[in-house]
Amino acid sequence: MQTDWDSRRIPTRTGNSELGWQHFSRPHGITSCRLINAALNGKPDKLSDQQRNLEYWGSAIKNGRQVDFVVKVRYARTTDDGRYEAPGAKGKVGVITAYCRGMQKCPSWVN
């Protein structure tokens, strides 16, 4: 659970092949919470659907190399399509996916 600068508490759930950790770790190569938490430690860079779909952007830099990444969040009790519902009365779906811009899989050094 990470809290952004607007006091939103955003979970990163285990999920499945469509959302959460299982959705982004294997196909997009993000295997560390540090990358997710770094992006969420700020304000959303893009808001839509009455501020329920949020995007947080970040950059990973190492030895002069830079990779920009995106973390997409659903800050609502259900997903857009209504197929998934967060547990608890005040639960939020949380992190849907994360990926590095312009590439299929993030380089391993970003983790």
Side-chain angles (χ1 to χ4, degrees):
M1 180 83 64
Q2 178 70 16
T3 303
D4 76 3
W5 289 2
D6 292 325
S7 300
R8 292 181 190 92
R9 293 176 45 87
I10 302 168
T12 302
R13 303 183 189 285
T14 302
N16 57 28
S17 63
E18 295 183 19
L19 54 86
W21 188 264
Q22 289 184 20
H23 174 70
F24 63 76
S25 63
R26 186 166 290 127
H28 299 298
I30 296 174
T31 59
S32 170
C33 291
R34 290 174 47 191
L35 199 68
I36 303 300
N37 291 342
L40 297 179
N41 185 22
K43 289 185 174 275
D45 295 284
K46 184 177 177 183
L47 298 97
S48 59
D49 187 24
Q50 298 175 353
Q51 299 188 16
R52 292 181 291 208
N53 291 329
L54 313 172
E55 282 188 22
Y56 296 81
W57 304 340
S59 296
I61 301 169
K62 182 177 181 183
N63 297 331
R65 297 178 290 177
Q66 178 174 329
V67 172
D68 297 323
F69 60 92
V70 176
V71 177
K72 291 191 174 194
V73 169
R74 176 68 176 169
Y75 196 71
R77 186 150 164 63
T78 61
T79 54
D80 280 342
D81 60 10
R83 291 181 52 216
Y84 297 98
E85 185 174 317
K90 295 184 179 184
K92 305 296 184 203
V93 172
V95 176
I96 298 290
T97 193
Y99 58 90
C100 290
R101 285 190 195 271
M103 55 189 73
Q104 287 290 320
K105 199 166 192 172
C106 297
S108 59
W109 62 264
V110 302
N111 293 296

